[in-house]
Amino acid sequence: MKILVINTGSSSIKFKLFELPQEQELLGGTVEKIGEKKGSMRYMLTTPTGEKIEEQMEEAFTDYRSGLHKIAEVLFKREYGLLNNPEDIQVVGHRVVHGGERFSQPVRINDQVLQQIEALVPLAPLHNPPNLEGIKVSYEIFPAAQQMAVFDTAFHQTLPSFAYRYAIPHHFYEKHQVRVYGMHGTSHQYVAQQAAHYLERPLQNLHLITVHLGNGCSMTAIKEGKSFDTSMGFSPLAGLVMGTRSGDIDPAVIFYMGRRLQMSMDEIDQTLNKQSGLKGLAHSNDLRDIIQREAEGEQEAKQALELYTYRIKKYLGAYYAALGKVDAIIFTAGVGENSPLIRARSCAGLERLGILIDPAKNAAKTTTIREIQQPNSAVKILVIPTNEELAIAREAYELVQTKQSD
Ligand code: ADP
């Protein structure tokens, strides 16, 4: 069965085509800088004859619709031999960022589900609208396919109320849905499942801390296989220091920016979401660049890395306490998978908690699952590549199977 996965971000579309149940990736790519003057598209695919093709092009995309139609062009390109007609795609899996309290599982999309996702737009104004647009355009291009939504918040719906409620008057939660939702759920769940498989232990017996460090960063405490606490909150702004987001901040800073510095709500929002984090501290949201600058002796870069890794360490300690025991810490995503320096510094000084990284194993470059702890480390430390699109394809596939057997 061919499953197309569409992940519409706040200015990009990631897409992958899989054959399931073999989990073979036939095509994968990204459309970037949607709505900007200069955009781009890149993709890699394997033709039915086994030939690997890689393409990269500059092209401006005015909106998500034009980006999605360009993706369809690639899918139907005769010489690639991926698809002959739209009916070849049986399922389209969509990443939807916010599922609120309504969605704790993936769902098959119908009019009612679309309305419910629409109703959640106030909670995710930057993310749910492009997700909705992706779904609508995909209905037009693949009218015969089943459309499935997989929610980024769903995995965190198991948080206990003392972890998801804020200590503010009840009506903000009861009437206005103000609570912790958490994000990156698909990734946290996927690497937790991969860890269970790798460790040959049932997921429901494991206590894990998953550390997703990409442009957005978040950590999750997983108790007996379920999300128990997570560092993003009502929005993706909370928690770790990120590429352009501040992470945790005293909310009074916002009053100060507004009242004292006369900044508007929109300016404050932009500052904390787009101009802060590594970008605010070191003028770049590319960690490779900051690591390089620190090695050249630049103080600003050094300080940015200190803040970044100190925050991760604080959350490791907090989640250790929340869980009581930890079987494994898992690093994933762009930084988590590729930066030995960030992993080492985040875990430094936690020897008394039984967290001991092995420098040689940590430095080794591989792209598969691996352990990087010392033999006497009570806690396993794993590096596990995330694959949100594959996780979505799996969920969508399972949903189709259960629907068919209903
Ligand atoms: P996204 O959240 O956009 O999917 P990624 O998971 O691709 O992001 O992660 C992007 C981040 O990963 C960037 O900050 C980039 O600098 C960082 N990164 C990628 N490779 C390395 C590396 N070898 N060392 C340090 N950071 C890296």
Side-chain angles (χ1 to χ4, degrees), residues 105-109 146-150 393-406:
Q105 298 288 338
V107 288
R108 188 176 180 158
I109 301 170
Q146 303 189 51
Q147 313 274 338
M148 308 291 190
V150 178
R394 278 185 190 170
E395 299 265 21
Y397 181 73
E398 272 171 35
L399 196 59
V400 176
Q401 303 301 104
T402 51
K403 290 276 174 228
Q404 279 173 354
S405 59
D406 277 352

Side-chain angles (χ1 to χ4, degrees), residues 14 212-216 285-288 291 333-335 338-339:
K14 290 184 186 160
H212 177 113
L213 305 175
N215 261 316
N285 59 347
D286 190 333
L287 245 161
R288 281 165 293 203
I291 291 170
V335 178
N338 296 304
S339 178

